[in-house]
Structure formats: C-alpha cells, structure tokens
Amino acid sequence: MPPITNWRRESRSPTLAYRNTETGARAVLHRAPDSYRYKWRGVILVDGYPVWSRGYETKDATSFRDELRERPAPDLNCPECPNDDVRVGEKAADGAKVQRWYDCPNCGYEAPSRIVYGAER
C-alpha cells in the first residue's frame, strides 16, 4: 500500500495515530465511549480541536487511511479573504451535538464546522 501523503504514523496500538508533517495536525482512530453509536472514532485535530470526525463499527484502519489520503492537510484558510490564520475552537452545543466554529480575525468571517460529536447528518 502506498504511503499516506503528508501524514506520518506515530503509534499503532491501542490507538492508530498520525501527525501531519506540514501543519502539525493529528489524526487519531480511537475507541469511542460506550455511549457513542459507533465503537471506533476517527478524528482530525488541529490545535487540539476536532475539525473532522467519523464513526466506525470496527477498528477499520484501511478506511481511516483512505480518509487521510483524501485530506493531505486540514484546510483552515478563510474563503472570503487571503488570510490563512483562521481560529478554530469556539464551540456551540445543541443537545448531544457539538460543533466547532471557524473565525477569521481579519475580515470577521464565521462558519460552523462539521458536527464532530453526536449524531451526524
């Protein structure tokens, strides 16, 4: 299997962890809490905040690596201006769903991220 572009494996067991060589972002496939719908959770973390996640029934390392191939680096650029210093982290909770917010300090652009925990739609 070809290597994953821009991602270097840090650990294999009990979690599967990768670090992005360009941005320092982490990607982890870990055992989810019992209250979660899926037993395993794959997540990409930027500055400790999840910007993408997906649930898996089993520890499906192949599917997780395929997801990382599609996302060689987390995109945190502002779509409204040329600023690449977008803040991530202001969270909003709606019941069991938690979202993170992208915030551009340059032009004031704000957008919710994908739902990272709870029911995904």
Side-chain angles (χ1 to χ4, degrees):
M1 184 173 281
I4 304 170
T5 307
N6 297 339
W7 293 97
R8 181 177 46 84
R9 188 174 59 225
E10 289 187 324
S11 70
R12 189 176 295 192
S13 179
T15 63
L16 183 61
Y18 292 88
R19 182 162 307 270
N20 189 288
T21 56
E22 291 180 0
T23 64
R26 292 187 65 226
V28 181
L29 180 64
H30 64 95
R31 178 83 174 160
D34 291 336
S35 62
Y36 281 41
R37 179 178 172 195
Y38 296 105
K39 296 186 183 339
W40 290 88
R41 197 91 190 148
V43 63
I44 295 177
L45 303 159
V46 175
D47 295 331
Y49 295 104
V51 295
W52 173 88
S53 95
R54 179 175 168 200
Y56 297 93
E57 291 291 333
T58 61
K59 188 175 181 181
D60 192 357
T62 304
S63 293
F64 186 60
R65 286 191 297 260
D66 289 344
E67 290 287 347
L68 294 180
R69 279 189 185 88
E70 293 175 10
R71 293 169 174 77
D75 184 21
L76 293 176
N77 296 330
C78 179
E80 299 293 321
C81 69
N83 186 15
D84 63 351
D85 186 27
V86 177
R87 292 188 300 236
V88 179
E90 299 172 13
K91 70 177 183 177
D94 177 23
K97 301 174 189 171
V98 177
Q99 286 186 317
R100 300 288 177 182
W101 289 82
Y102 298 108
D103 180 28
C104 178
N106 195 23
C107 70
Y109 175 79
E110 259 185 14
S113 68
R114 293 186 55 187
I115 294 173
V116 293
Y117 294 119
E120 295 183 54
R121 294 180 190 186

